[in-house]
Amino acid sequence: MSGTIGAAFALFLAGAAAALAQLWLRVWDPETFIKLMITDGVLLVVALVWAMIQGERRETARLRDRNRLGE
């Protein structure tokens, strides 16, 4: 598992823990909680998109190297 996917999973777990804490303990006022969840969601999406871009970059490099061997 790449570091980016690990970071995305950690952000998911943090969001789940925050949601459960808010549900049962009401740790934050509702406005702060919504801001935290939006921030966590945006960071999660950025991490997943970054992982996808890196994967595509690696695959493109692999295909280019394979084409060079056939020359």
Side-chain angles (χ1 to χ4, degrees):
M1 175 172 24
S2 72
T4 309
I5 297 297
F9 186 65
L11 285 167
F12 172 77
L13 289 179
L20 288 173
Q22 182 67 12
L23 178 67
W24 291 101
L25 304 174
R26 302 211 185 261
V27 179
W28 303 281
D29 62 292
E31 183 179 335
T32 304
F33 176 69
I34 294 297
K35 288 178 182 179
L36 286 172
M37 288 294 100
I38 290 171
T39 302
D40 186 56
V42 168
L43 291 174
L44 176 62
V45 169
V46 167
L48 291 174
V49 168
W50 183 256
M52 184 185 73
I53 289 170
Q54 292 301 316
E56 289 295 322
R57 184 178 291 163
R58 281 191 296 269
E59 185 63 29
T60 300
R62 187 177 314 138
L63 287 173
R64 285 183 182 161
D65 287 343
R66 194 175 299 160
N67 288 340
R68 287 183 188 154
L69 290 174
E71 291 178 355

